[in-house]
């Protein structure tokens, strides 16, 4: 018994863990949620500036125009959309919709694709590409 | 047969449900705001202020904010419960989370209702 428990493998090495696609959707749901929570004061500041005086709106525009801030905002944009899409997937799973293996894999894949794709569209729109 | 409740404080189901209801509230708000922005609601600062300051958004934005803070509380609390084993540290983090989220909620409502 003790011999068995000693040799039992433990897969707790983050560098070695291989997750199925749905597992990545799930952990990214948590990571994006945590990121959005940490960014809340920053986002509230931006909202306040954007709705303030004309002067504060100019400040808002220059802050948002800073390349580093823009990059962070793109990241937060992805976090929001991923959290949104993955959340809808979880709600549907709660309702026993799409719980078959193939459907679940397909929905996990579409969450990743849609959130990255939408973020890309918004980023390109923001940068004035179209 | 009498249902036997063996362990727990039984706030699990309530929070599980609240997590989902607040998610739906936020999802609907996001879609409505997204449509409003796509139809020119944020074309200039004037239109952005007019959008967020109109009667409808003055009413629903605080609802979104409250839903967001409740949702964030359950989610962040789950993270602390999963990863922080030391009870005193975890309790401190819970309290800090509640305090900052309450502050954010008041701050956000004040931004909107000042318009």
């Amino acid at each position: 018994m003790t011999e068995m428990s000693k040799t039992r493998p433990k897969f707790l090495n983050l560098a070695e863990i291989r997750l199925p696609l749905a597992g990545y959707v799930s952990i990214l749901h948590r990571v994006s949620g945590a990121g959005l929570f940490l960014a809340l004061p920053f986002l509230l500041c931006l909202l306040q500036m954007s709705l303030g005086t004309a002067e504060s709106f100019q400040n808002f525009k220059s802050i948002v125009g800073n390349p580093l801030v823009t990059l962070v905002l793109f990241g937060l944009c992805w976090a929001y959309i991923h959290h949104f899409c993955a959340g809808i997937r979880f709600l549907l799973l709660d309702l026993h919709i799409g719980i078959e293996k193939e459907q679940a894999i397909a929905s996990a894949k579409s969450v990743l694709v849609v959130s990255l794709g939408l973020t890309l569209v918004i980023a390109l729109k923001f940068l004035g590409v179209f | 047969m009498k249902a036997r409740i063996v362990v727990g404080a039984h706030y699990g189901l309530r929070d599980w449900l609240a997590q989902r209801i607040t998610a739906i509230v936020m999802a609907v708000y996001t879609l409505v705001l997204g449509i409003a922005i796509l139809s020119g609601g944020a074309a200039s600062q004037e239109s952005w202020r007019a959008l967020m300051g109109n009667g409808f958004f003055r009413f629903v934005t605080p609802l979104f904010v409250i839903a967001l803070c409740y949702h964030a509380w359950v989610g962040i609390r789950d993270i602390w419960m999963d990863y922080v084993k030391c009870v005193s540290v975890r309790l401190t983090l819970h309290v800090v989370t509640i305090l900052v989220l309450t502050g954010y909620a008041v701050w956000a409502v004040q931004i909107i209702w000042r318009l």
Side-chain angles (χ1 to χ4, degrees):
Chain A
M1 190 65 192
T2 47
E3 200 59 37
M4 267 182 75
S5 54
K6 267 177 195 165
T7 54
R8 197 181 293 150
K10 275 187 182 173
F11 298 106
L12 293 177
N13 184 346
L14 281 177
E16 281 179 29
I17 288 178
R18 291 287 171 270
L19 289 173
L21 221 47
Y24 283 104
V25 169
S26 177
I27 190 63
L28 287 174
H29 189 75
R30 172 161 282 193
V31 171
S32 57
L36 287 165
F37 169 72
L38 291 175
L40 274 178
F42 168 61
L43 293 172
L44 277 169
C45 270
L46 286 182
L47 178 70
Q48 180 165 277
M49 291 168 107
S50 77
L51 289 169
T53 59
E55 196 181 329
S56 78
F57 188 69
Q58 286 309 315
N59 282 338
F60 164 79
K61 279 178 83 173
S62 63
I63 290 174
V64 167
N66 177 305
L68 198 67
V69 176
T70 305
L71 205 62
V72 171
L73 286 175
F74 289 168
L76 290 171
C77 189
W78 169 82
Y80 194 89
I81 298 171
H82 178 87
H83 206 84
F84 183 104
C85 294
I88 287 173
R89 179 174 180 272
F90 295 146
L91 282 174
L92 292 175
L93 292 176
D94 282 345
L95 297 172
H96 291 236
I97 297 170
I99 49 174
E100 297 303 323
K101 195 176 178 185
E102 293 79 31
Q103 296 167 314
I105 292 172
S107 66
K109 211 177 274 179
S110 42
V111 165
L112 293 169
V113 171
V114 167
S115 50
L116 283 171
L118 257 180
T119 306
L120 188 69
V121 170
I122 291 171
L124 291 176
K125 177 75 186 164
F126 182 87
L127 295 172
V129 173
F130 62 92
Chain B
M1 196 170 94
K2 193 163 177 273
R4 280 176 71 236
I5 298 169
V6 184
V7 287
H10 313 297
Y11 53 73
L13 178 67
R14 187 194 66 200
D15 284 350
W16 179 88
L17 197 60
Q19 187 80 326
R20 277 140 189 86
I21 293 168
T22 52
I24 293 167
V25 170
M26 286 188 289
V28 172
Y29 177 87
T30 303
L31 294 176
V32 172
L33 182 64
I35 291 166
I37 288 175
L38 280 178
S39 33
S44 65
Q45 202 210 357
E46 290 72 48
S47 55
W48 175 235
R49 281 180 60 107
L51 176 69
M52 296 310 283
N54 81 29
F56 176 70
F57 273 99
R58 279 168 68 89
F59 182 72
V60 292
T61 306
L63 294 181
F64 169 79
V65 167
I66 291 165
L68 187 142
C69 288
Y70 196 161
H71 189 91
W73 156 242
V74 179
I76 299 298
R77 185 208 60 183
D78 285 352
I79 292 180
W80 301 142
M81 291 202 302
D82 280 354
Y83 304 127
V84 182
K85 300 297 171 205
C86 173
V87 176
S88 57
V89 177
R90 196 169 64 223
L91 180 64
T92 309
L93 287 168
H94 283 192
V95 172
V96 170
T97 307
I98 291 173
L99 291 179
V100 295
L101 284 172
T102 309
Y104 294 159
V106 174
W107 182 13
V109 170
Q110 178 251 0
I111 292 173
I112 297 303
W113 281 357
R114 198 172 40 187
L115 283 172

